[in-house]
């Protein structure tokens, strides 16, 4: 494989997209040749990795589904509100979009009105150091309270306790979000006990 490809891929955690190959002057038939020779592995349409790379599932998912944001258990993990790595990725997408069929079995998906979709979006690093979009801690607390029927009670209570102990908490933002997402009574109940 050409050195410029290896160098570029290494700067990007061994992941490279078709558009990036083309910018480097590498043609699509040459990409296919590297895949056939075993030097590259095709992860998804237009996404490749140097063979034997440990794959960052969160980062790859975010590349494959640009209109998703990591939420609920995945956002708890990214915001250090949960010690447990989630078994399945959890994302939220706007209700006017659809999750691609091939991805529906790989994650848990929540839908929300488009006007509420971008509230609290931030970027966090995965354990592999790649930036992905997720909801901030306050939005995530509101989300797990709204979705309590789909999340086990132990996860909810542990996350709220971790949030209450966090030095980075923003109670004003939490209360503002809780009114927007109609969970203010639940937030108040937990915070009165924990603070």
């Amino acid at each position: 494989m050409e050195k410029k490809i290896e160098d570029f891929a290494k700067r990007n955690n061994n992941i490279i997209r078709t558009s990036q190959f083309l910018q480097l002057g590498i043609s699509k038939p040459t990409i296919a040749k590297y895949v056939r020779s075993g030097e590259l592995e095709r992860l998804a349409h237009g996404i490749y990795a140097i063979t034997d790379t440990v794959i960052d599932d969160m980062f790859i998912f975010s590349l494959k589904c640009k209109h998703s944001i990591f939420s609920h258990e995945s956002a708890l993990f990214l915001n250090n509100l949960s010690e447990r790595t989630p078994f399945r990725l959890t994302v939220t997408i706007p209700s006017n979009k659809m999750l691609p069929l091939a991805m529906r079995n790989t994650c848990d998906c929540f839908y929300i009105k488009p006007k509420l979709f971008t509230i609290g979006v931030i970027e966090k690093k995965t354990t592999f150091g790649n930036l992905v979009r997720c909801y901030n801690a306050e939005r995530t607390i509101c989300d797990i309270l709204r979705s309590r029927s789909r999340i086990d009670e132990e996860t909810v209570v542990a996350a709220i306790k971790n949030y209450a102990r966090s030095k980075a908490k923003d109670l004003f933002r939490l209360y503002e979000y809780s009114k927007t997402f109609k969970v203010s009574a639940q937030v108040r109940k937990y915070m009165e006990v924990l603070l």
Side-chain angles (χ1 to χ4, degrees), residues 56-63 68-71 74-75 77-79 89 121-135:
D56 182 345
D57 292 331
M58 282 186 153
F59 182 62
I60 298 303
F61 190 97
S62 70
L63 292 177
S68 67
I69 296 173
F70 288 108
S71 62
S74 292
F77 179 72
L78 289 166
N79 283 292
L89 297 177
V121 175
I122 58 172
E123 285 190 327
K124 286 283 192 176
K125 285 188 175 181
T126 67
T127 51
F128 293 89
N130 294 304
L131 283 173
V132 295
R133 293 187 322 155
C134 72
Y135 289 120

Side-chain angles (χ1 to χ4, degrees), residues 33-80:
K33 180 187 85 169
Y34 288 134
V35 172
R36 281 193 304 276
S37 71
E39 294 173 85
L40 281 178
E41 181 182 345
R42 183 177 184 268
L43 303 177
H45 179 73
I47 304 170
Y48 300 87
I50 304 288
T51 302
D52 296 329
T53 297
V54 177
I55 304 302
D56 182 345
D57 292 331
M58 282 186 153
F59 182 62
I60 298 303
F61 190 97
S62 70
L63 292 177
K64 291 194 299 190
C65 189
K66 297 247 185 244
H67 58 266
S68 67
I69 296 173
F70 288 108
S71 62
H72 299 78
E73 289 97 332
S74 292
L76 288 175
F77 179 72
L78 289 166
N79 283 292
N80 297 316

